[in-house]
Amino acid sequence: MYRISTADFAALALVFLVSCVTDQGEEEGPVGMAPNALEYLNALNPNALNPNALNPNALNPNALSQNALSPGALSPAALSAIQDPGAAGDLSRQLLSYVVGCALTPAQSFRFSWTDGAGAVRHEVYWGLIGLVPSWIDKPLGQTDQQWISACLASRTNWYGLSVTISSRASHPAIDKTDSPELASYTRMEGAFWGNLFAPTPYLNACYNAANRDHARSLARECAAGHLDASGAAQPCGMVSIRGTCDSYCQQLNLRGMYYPSCVNNLTGSPDSTTRVITVFLP
């Protein structure tokens, strides 16, 4: 796995998010799309469904910073990470696109350029999608913000790197689906995701619904319950730890919005209201 220092990614985060654009009129193209990044299949709007294809190898806790996005922290190392024409650069750019998709709204974007191995200049524009923390372009992430971004990244990780449309639900206003028609079309609860990639000791957790485990795997969604290897053992998606069944590790499901309000806290070992969780449903 490619890693850069936390200090370098503080500058790296600045590279992408200092370049944020809040006027959609400056860039033509579908709202919520990242034209030069990942394909957003059936991305209806930030309050509806979202695709996922984040490679587990791109989940690099050393590549995140909670710092305020001000113009002072730029470094050559940070720039080289997203401008690297090789495989390491591909992972950095993929993580970048998902961070922006989780944090920003479709009216926000960031852009940068890099040169590929053939000498062609690539101009990247990554649009926001879900809008969990649109204020990140103006101020540092608080602990709650860090948890929302982390849960979002974990929930959108795919063992195979395939894009599968999911219904993400939580108490956050951007994805609170209370009484939404979406509840009737995405009815199979896969599991839930939570953690904090920005913590001194970064962590990500997942739990699963045992009744839908095989169904999720049939749709190439394996990170809640784990990928079954040749011996039948469940393997985690990168650093996403598999806790077990959600009923054992989370508070009771909110039936109107169909999400877990909170799950086990890594520090206390029990569910509490400070843990931000994203619950995923499948068709």
Side-chain angles (χ1 to χ4, degrees):
M1 182 183 295
Y2 178 71
R3 295 180 181 274
I4 61 174
S5 70
T6 301
D8 283 339
F9 199 84
L12 176 58
L14 177 66
V15 175
F16 6 108
L17 292 170
V18 152
S19 302
C20 285
V21 177
T22 56
D23 182 359
Q24 181 85 20
E26 290 189 19
E27 187 74 22
E28 295 182 357
V31 173
M33 300 288 283
N36 294 316
L38 298 172
E39 183 179 11
Y40 286 157
L41 300 180
N42 301 320
L44 304 181
N45 62 59
N47 293 316
L49 311 176
N50 65 88
N52 68 94
L54 182 61
N55 188 321
N57 291 328
L59 287 172
N60 182 358
N62 291 331
L64 293 169
S65 173
Q66 65 200 54
N67 295 345
L69 303 169
S70 61
L74 216 54
S75 77
L79 272 174
S80 67
I82 58 170
Q83 293 178 335
D84 184 342
D90 290 340
L91 288 176
S92 294
R93 287 184 289 275
Q94 186 184 78
L95 176 61
L96 198 63
S97 68
Y98 272 89
V99 167
V100 171
C102 287
L104 303 185
T105 72
Q108 298 172 300
S109 71
F110 70 82
R111 63 194 68 205
F112 65 98
S113 299
W114 60 285
T115 303
D116 66 21
V121 177
R122 303 292 189 93
H123 301 288
E124 302 284 356
V125 180
Y126 296 165
W127 290 100
L129 178 65
I130 299 174
L132 293 172
V133 193
S135 62
W136 195 3
I137 61 174
D138 298 319
K139 62 182 182 180
L141 292 176
Q143 185 176 50
T144 297
D145 300 330
Q146 296 168 26
Q147 291 186 8
W148 282 127
I149 298 298
S150 301
C152 181
L153 291 171
S155 71
R156 299 180 71 194
T157 301
N158 186 283
W159 176 276
Y160 303 101
L162 297 176
S163 185
V164 181
T165 304
I166 60 176
S167 174
S168 297
R169 305 172 189 175
S171 60
H172 192 291
I175 51 174
D176 186 343
K177 310 297 174 62
T178 298
D179 297 331
S180 165
E182 188 176 315
L183 302 183
S185 54
Y186 280 69
T187 59
R188 307 285 290 270
M189 196 267 282
E190 173 199 20
F193 300 84
W194 69 99
N196 192 340
L197 285 169
F198 303 85
T201 302
Y203 64 95
L204 293 174
N205 291 317
C207 64
Y208 60 86
N209 181 348
N212 292 327
R213 194 167 27 178
D214 291 342
H215 177 69
R217 287 178 173 140
S218 75
L219 297 178
R221 283 285 299 181
E222 300 194 343
C223 292
H227 171 75
L228 296 181
D229 63 17
S231 70
Q235 300 299 323
C237 291
M239 63 178 293
V240 182
S241 298
I242 305 167
R243 285 286 187 167
T245 63
C246 294
D247 287 344
S248 299
Y249 287 90
C250 301
Q251 290 182 338
Q252 186 174 358
L253 196 68
N254 177 304
L255 295 180
R256 289 188 66 211
M258 300 302 289
Y259 58 79
Y260 287 106
S262 67
C263 296
V264 65
N265 185 305
N266 264 41
L267 298 178
T268 66
S270 61
D272 66 48
S273 60
T274 66
T275 305
R276 309 303 174 188
V277 181
I278 289 181
T279 307
V280 171
F281 276 73
L282 303 170

